[in-house]
Amino acid sequence: MAGLRKMRILWPLVFLLGPVEADPVEVHIVCHTHDDVGWLKTVDEYYSGQNNSIQHAYVHMILDTVVQSLAMNRNRTFTYVEQAFFVRWWRQQDAATRALVKTLVKEGRLEFTNGGWCMHDEAAPHYIDMIDQTTLGHKFLMDEFGVAPRTGWQLDPFGHSATQAALLSAEVGFQGLFFGRIDYQDLQLRQQDRAAEFIWRASPSLGPAAQVFSGLTGSYHGNYGPPDGFQFDVNNLDETIQDDPNLEDYNVKSRVDGFVAAALAQANMTRGKNIMMTMGSDFQYEDALTWFYNLDRLIQHVNEDGRIKVFYSTPSRYVEAKQKETMVKWPLKEDDFFPYADGPHKFWTGYFTSRPTLKRYIRDTSAFFQVAKQITALAESGTQGLEHLAEALGVAQHHDAVSGTAKQHVTFDYAKRLARGRSLAYPEVSKALKTHMGKASVQDFTLCELRNVSLCALTQAVGRSTNRTCFALWNGLARPREELIELPVSSKNLEVVQAETNEAVPIQLVRSLPSVTNYGSDAGGAKDTLLAEVKLPPLGFSGFCLQQVEGKTAPESQLMKDAELIENENLAIHFAGGMMSKITDKVNNMSIRAEQNWFWYNASVGNAESSQVSGAYIFRPNRSQANPVFTGLPFMQVFHGELADEVVTSVGSWVHQRLRLAKKASHVEITYTVGQECPGLRFADPPGEIPADDGLGKEIVSRFSTDLQTAGTCFSDSNGREMLQRKRDFRPSWDFNQTEEVAGNYYPIATSLFIRSQQSQLTVLTDTSQAGTGCVRDGEIEMMVHRRLFKDDGRGVGEPLNETQFVTSYVEDPKGQHYGPGLVTRGQHWLHLGRPSNTAKSWRPLMDRLYMAPVPFFTAGEVAFRKSWTNWLPKNLEVISLASWGPKTLLLRIAHQFGVGEDPELSKPAKLNFEFLFPGHSITSIEERGLGGTISKDEVEHRRIQWPLEDEAAPGAPLGRMRSARSTVGVVTFGPLQIRTFLLQFGEAVFI
Amino acid sequence: MAGLRKMRILWPLVFLLGPVEADPVEVHIVCHTHDDVGWLKTVDEYYSGQNNSIQHAYVHMILDTVVQSLAMNRNRTFTYVEQAFFVRWWRQQDAATRALVKTLVKEGRLEFTNGGWCMHDEAAPHYIDMIDQTTLGHKFLMDEFGVAPRTGWQLDPFGHSATQAALLSAEVGFQGLFFGRIDYQDLQLRQQDRAAEFIWRASPSLGPAAQVFSGLTGSYHGNYGPPDGFQFDVNNLDETIQDDPNLEDYNVKSRVDGFVAAALAQANMTRGKNIMMTMGSDFQYEDALTWFYNLDRLIQHVNEDGRIKVFYSTPSRYVEAKQKETMVKWPLKEDDFFPYADGPHKFWTGYFTSRPTLKRYIRDTSAFFQVAKQITALAESGTQGLEHLAEALGVAQHHDAVSGTAKQHVTFDYAKRLARGRSLAYPEVSKALKTHMGKASVQDFTLCELRNVSLCALTQAVGRSTNRTCFALWNGLARPREELIELPVSSKNLEVVQAETNEAVPIQLVRSLPSVTNYGSDAGGAKDTLLAEVKLPPLGFSGFCLQQVEGKTAPESQLMKDAELIENENLAIHFAGGMMSKITDKVNNMSIRAEQNWFWYNASVGNAESSQVSGAYIFRPNRSQANPVFTGLPFMQVFHGELADEVVTSVGSWVHQRLRLAKKASHVEITYTVGQECPGLRFADPPGEIPADDGLGKEIVSRFSTDLQTAGTCFSDSNGREMLQRKRDFRPSWDFNQTEEVAGNYYPIATSLFIRSQQSQLTVLTDTSQAGTGCVRDGEIEMMVHRRLFKDDGRGVGEPLNETQFVTSYVEDPKGQHYGPGLVTRGQHWLHLGRPSNTAKSWRPLMDRLYMAPVPFFTAGEVAFRKSWTNWLPKNLEVISLASWGPKTLLLRIAHQFGVGEDPELSKPAKLNFEFLFPGHSITSIEERGLGGTISKDEVEHRRIQWPLEDEAAPGAPLGRMRSARSTVGVVTFGPLQIRTFLLQFGEAVFI
């Protein structure tokens, strides 16, 4: 919170300490292109220049002409970002072009910044996906060019996360982080206060060690283009440099004057004599020559003029130059840049929820990808066959993909890529699993992808066409766990037994969740679902079989008449009027009021205050009060069972939910279905959906109203890592002027949100990213789970976010015509109640469990009993990456999963002894790497720069950090929320 | 007239004689860009990419990226046209780039086609301007690259002239001529009849020797672009070739299928297996890589497919391939392609007159340029200082310049270039003239540019501030002449004497023509003009002095009361109701009714038949009847004088004219002023102008109604050369369906139009290009001299043709805001009456006199008596170019000025003996060249191809032609309308 408030007072001092006025401004020309990995067109349409009527963009040509332009003139430089595109291009190049490009990279003329597969969104992605997609790109760059990017480059994302600044910057070896979009109020103050560049220390847990030099782009005007009037792309309308005195319109003087004025204006918004101009924008440099030809001349004439210096540069050269300006003292920034607003009433908080089913599909695929990497790596089949999945997930993290802000046909393309990536991965995973099974089975394994809509051919066949279906249940977490696994079934004469031992496990028959498509014929989903209580070893699997037993019926849930309470040894959940009303924490002996209700905000279509409408990006309700989804009494059914109690509630005609309290659980699971009538409780004809016939855009929230005294404060996660404090109508860095009391208090929830009083903390965990808040009203949490809108909000996508179950092919109609009922979404909220002082020990591990659900691999054959590859880690550590990195080499990321101060014990540093990690396996060497995996931890440390801060007497010294772990006997220590990355070499292929 | 009619009958035979069906079609890919030398933007705006909001175009980048693309891949070829742009670019290139380009040209990878300074218009330019601008470009190409283009390339002009086909094709060494736009009916028939390529024998005088292989471009669809769907320019919307099977949207099969279909369809519209695809369009290839990248792949995949062959080619390679298809027999075309219509009611006959003052300024500058070249060449100062003028005139011949179809600000730019070119030429001409004067004078010479509006400071000073002003009067024709020269004067006590001899010449004071701007204060024009009768030697000058004589008054014209007749020894002109009514030819003893009247057509704003409006390109009156400019009785004053009689008539408030019959003259000169009231006869307040307040577009014609029995036939010149027969509602090549009985019978008149009966021929000569007709009604000639329109006709220029006296700067408003009264235009019609059988001997020389008026160079000093550089030529020959071509080298073009059959004697071949041409000068060698001056006549002959014709038993053999003249004693013969070009080497600088 030392942000701008203090700085503004200190400014006169800073000014004196600043650069000598006589020093001419030095302008770093950074030529770049911002290439969306899908948005209005699909990634491949962008690459190969198709569908230019939608948007002019042809990335192949960008890379062709940029490379040619660089080859023509040694002075020129270029900076490229998105590896999804670069790799496409690289794979098409011949040896000569590759050699040329390698030379350009080696000589620093072509620089990669960021270097991930895409420029990921910073609101919706899970941190593991951010790391994975960055690693994917970085590994390519190291393999082909031997380089690791030195700067971050997040020009376009709609807000910037603490995790980006801490993990994905300093920890991957970035010396600077650049981005374009921040709140308009913040931007204006930074322009006034010479604070357009600053030191961002984003993680309280990681502290100064993970801070990064950060700068705004776009001449510090909220974008990432050149100064006004200096857009020299092929379709520019700006005046080109005409320096031939024999022709008309000779304009050297006016163009030089304009450029000098722009540079001085920009220099006046930051500190020191060096400034960076981002010369490029969306899909520019398709005809790179136009840019370079004009820049060559501009540079020549400005330097001849002599008032300022200007030269081609790159982000890394720029940071190097800033580093050398040792007299400059920098302001400090400690919070994040959410939410983003580009004007009054224009909060980009809608996209936190937009396209919830795509968000969920990405999250689910992310977890599967972790498991697939583990299974294949441990079988030494490596990542073979997972490339498509890795790349599909890399594409999906793009800031118009998981963000939900792409056009419909592009969204379908994202989903198709994920589906294809998964289906191409299955055979490899199956093959590896068979290896792991040893003698048990040689049958293939398959996934039941539609298990969440109660569809699984293999389990539904048991009792019908087969007697038995076995499955290996993989636990991707490095700790043992007990879970309830759900199996759609067609028979009641069933049991689930442990493989090989044939020991039956506890089961319970419950009512299935219906298919989410309620249009047309029945989807064939199972009416009944069998819950089975299973125990799983850490990082490994247990084998089970679902089998028919004659004459024996599985225990069934019992419908309880007039029940208004369910409970287990830890919790009691009270109901009133069909909905949850109170939660009792038996362990801590406390109760809170906790009334759940479903509401919808009426999307604004613009009003007198502002014409801004609610759309794919922007959330703007037409008033602060939400409307109840159902004004009548919800229809509730309470079921009691041996493994879990369930309360099924129909909230009107288009929302229903199942609340489950499992035996032993310390949390409650709500599985909501929005946009569908409760099966068997038809309220409307045609089938229930989010109503569209009233023409009102609807943004649907689940609200938990409690009696907690929260003083306008709540906490939300940053991409699943650090929990950040949020306050109503407040920004830590400046005197915030609120214009939207609901939308302006919404935050991105990747995994968790909590509110707390002195006594109690209520935490909501999510199975996907969504918008949420606990700040609008005291004691109240709102989770926005779906949006059905009928207006475009003017931020470029050009389609209203009216997702439906059916959409015409974009080949027929590039704009996509929606039809059929509104899209149904299904998701989970896990609720946890505890004492603020020690509740993290519960919800932090729940976060991991929710992300990394056990994955059942079904087979027509037999499965082995159990296999595990690791001993237990300390309770606060978790394996977050385990993947092949080459022959007999594993990439291993281990993370401390507790933030500083969250738990008296578990937030303490944790020690890991590699000797106990993979018992029985011969690790021949261990090398610690940076988070991206391609450079050593030493190199990461070497890259850290000590930036003088204006608020500190002594420059902010990095925290003392452990030396890198290189020996096999090393014991390494993890600070709170620290992630450490290791390459482990093994003597033999011993994992099998 | 052997055209399509016969061919369609013969087709089955042709088909049998055609290529073997099994031969695969061979597609010549000709990559090209069509770069307008000014249109919506100025030539320099196009070159340096300014004002892209008006039109996206940046020629510098085209040439940069094309050269790079060619350098990258040896297979690629490119064809470039407009040297105005290429030279701009070339002058900016360094040695390395020039060397590269020379290699590309040498290897045939970069080919120049047409190669003139621009792609000239074919309706408005004078043939000397066509030759000059072609020579300007060709000389550059020969000097820098040693090449002379082998093909003509007139893709965009709005109709195609016989002169283009005959003189500017075969005679400059072109083996083929390609163009895009022909009448839509003609086009459709040619598509059906496989006549999209043909042999064009355009000049009856030059005959088969000047025929040329001609082909339509644009896949024979009336344009010059690629087949539909294969537009790969940077801003294309067509599907790019996506041949990477690893990416989405792989489309090789569909793209290949589409291309093969397009090629086969095109092949079906012409003969033989080779076809040419013009791959490019307006200002395309700014990012040449986009085109070439896709074409590379398209070519590869189509050839792999194998159904057809496709390869990069050039126009010259294409003609070579066609030449080799010796089995093919070609249809013959003998008429021209005027007027052009791109649909019913859409006749592009308006532009023949659009922007009459620009047209006139170009014509006047053209004549001055000839004189300037003669004067400087004969002084051995060469063309030094004339380059700007040459280039300005080259630019002005562009098909959106002299055509009057450019935007207003571009039109200003053309005029500015001409003005600057002239003013830069003056010092050089003055210097040369001083050399020619010998001892007579060392004072500078100046031109009185505004003499046509009665402004000349030096002559007006005589009697006021000075006693005497001398002038050298240059005769650019190679025959002696007598003329009346007009000198604006302020005094009446004046005489004109021959220099040195001081012998007075006959003079007469007449009323001046007023300034053409009637807005604001008086322009200072002289009230009186002195006519002086002068005798001039061939190709040389006479010196004269205008001087004050005390007590002696110059004879003045006398106003005759009630006179209705003026006459001289040759003619009597009768008047009735204020206008000419009858002409008597005393020599031939005949009279014709000849009623002159001024009318205006009301421009169509579209009607039920067609939405087409009249605009800069299109002439479409809203009905066939024209409206009289004045319904009252015109006010007429008849003046009698010793040198000339004049009749001044005010035709209402905005047209007036002066009809002059000079002593000895065999013709009548009408000088009309349109858009201005007659001085002293104000009819309206505010000052008279073409009325705009009624909102009606007006197209103003001077009509001559006679009693000649013309049977729907008239004759119009082709760029001042061949006279072509025109018939009402008729086209020689096909069964024409007329949709506009006025506009569809209009033709471009560059210099002359006549109608004739058995007995009489009435010829109208013009001092500028304009639209005219003698075909709409029998015995009636209409000359359209001005147009004031308020609608844009939808052909691209995007501005109504509402020329006014003032226009805002385009810097303030790129669209140009007109204000002030409508633009005034002034021009001349010379009328000649004679017997058809022998009248050419009069009007043909008048044509030369009107084009090449004597040019007075005024000086404050003395002038020499006289000087002449040549003996008289035979009466039917004329020097049309005399210019420096290097040290002691002159380029000389001599032309036979009579068409075949026009005169019993003068149409006969003429002999020229070089010995008598420059008496007293030592010609050391004579080499005959092609019309462009850069290649030998032998080479031109060598390039001629014998094309088999379907209508001829034996292939059309070229006429026997004289061997090239190479010796100093040669006598060369000229056939009718033949132009021969010689390089003369002299032993010394003897001309002085």
Side-chain angles (χ1 to χ4, degrees), chain A residues 41-283:
Chain A
K41 307 203 296 191
T42 70
V43 54
D44 283 341
E45 287 170 347
Y46 277 129
Y47 179 72
S48 56
Q50 308 298 17
N51 257 341
N52 269 358
S53 59
I54 296 179
Q55 184 187 5
H56 185 93
Y58 195 171
V59 176
H60 173 90
M61 282 297 150
I62 294 174
L63 290 164
D64 265 12
T65 62
V66 160
V67 166
Q68 288 153 22
S69 298
L70 296 180
M72 285 168 56
N73 182 329
R74 292 189 62 84
N75 294 325
R76 296 171 179 167
T77 57
F78 195 80
T79 298
Y80 199 74
V81 183
E82 298 86 359
Q83 297 308 306
F85 287 120
F86 190 82
V87 169
R88 275 168 170 72
W89 183 80
W90 184 253
R91 288 171 181 157
Q92 294 176 343
Q93 301 312 304
D94 59 17
T97 308
R98 288 187 177 195
L100 167 63
V101 174
K102 284 184 178 182
T103 303
L104 295 175
V105 173
K106 195 175 175 186
E107 295 178 359
R109 292 150 70 189
L110 176 60
E111 178 165 306
F112 296 103
T113 183
N114 232 11
W117 207 249
C118 68
M119 183 186 291
H120 54 215
D121 180 28
E122 298 185 36
H126 193 271
Y127 70 93
I128 290 182
D129 289 331
M130 295 165 90
I131 295 170
D132 277 356
Q133 81 86 15
T134 302
T135 301
L136 184 64
H138 282 206
K139 188 161 193 310
F140 165 80
L141 291 174
M142 183 54 71
D143 289 350
E144 293 292 343
F145 301 105
V147 299
R150 302 179 80 95
T151 49
W153 196 255
Q154 292 287 114
L155 305 190
D156 192 26
F158 328 129
H160 304 283
S161 78
T163 298
Q164 179 64 36
L167 279 185
L168 275 304
S169 297
E171 296 289 299
V172 293
F174 290 168
Q175 298 179 303
L177 172 62
F178 298 94
F179 42 86
R181 298 178 184 272
I182 66 169
D183 182 280
Y184 68 103
Q185 297 174 18
D186 194 4
L187 178 66
Q188 193 180 4
L189 292 172
R190 288 182 182 277
Q191 289 172 338
Q192 290 167 12
D193 297 336
R194 299 199 129 171
E197 294 174 313
F198 48 90
I199 306 305
W200 190 3
R201 187 183 291 169
S203 165
S205 296
L206 300 178
Q211 70 194 24
V212 65
F213 174 83
S214 301
L216 304 183
T217 53
S219 302
Y220 316 142
H221 279 89
N223 60 51
Y224 41 88
D228 280 355
F230 293 89
Q231 191 85 264
F232 297 125
D233 201 40
V234 63
N235 283 316
N236 85 84
L237 297 180
D238 291 344
E239 233 180 285
T240 60
I241 313 299
Q242 205 296 69
D243 59 355
D244 185 339
N246 297 314
L247 305 183
E248 297 291 306
D249 314 316
Y250 181 85
N251 62 10
V252 168
K253 183 170 188 319
S254 70
R255 300 267 61 198
V256 167
D257 285 350
F259 188 81
V260 170
L264 296 179
Q266 186 175 339
N268 213 30
M269 299 177 200
T270 186
R271 308 179 187 192
K273 65 180 180 182
N274 287 278
I275 59 170
M276 176 171 77
M277 284 189 183
T278 39
M279 291 300 202
S281 193
D282 294 8
F283 296 98

Side-chain angles (χ1 to χ4, degrees), chain B residues 226-301:
Chain B
D228 280 356
F230 292 90
Q231 189 85 265
F232 296 125
D233 200 42
V234 61
N235 283 317
N236 86 84
L237 297 179
D238 289 344
E239 232 181 284
T240 61
I241 313 300
Q242 207 297 70
D243 60 354
D244 185 340
N246 297 315
L247 305 183
E248 297 292 307
D249 314 316
Y250 180 84
N251 61 9
V252 168
K253 182 169 188 321
S254 69
R255 298 269 60 198
V256 167
D257 286 349
F259 187 82
V260 169
L264 296 179
Q266 184 174 340
N268 214 30
M269 299 178 201
T270 186
R271 309 179 186 189
K273 67 180 178 181
N274 287 277
I275 59 168
M276 176 172 77
M277 284 189 182
T278 39
M279 291 300 204
S281 195
D282 294 8
F283 296 99
Q284 294 205 353
Y285 288 81
E286 179 175 330
D287 182 7
L289 253 292
T290 310
W291 259 113
F292 280 115
Y293 175 81
N294 281 283
L295 287 178
D296 285 351
R297 270 143 196 78
L298 183 66
I299 289 170
Q300 175 197 331
H301 295 297

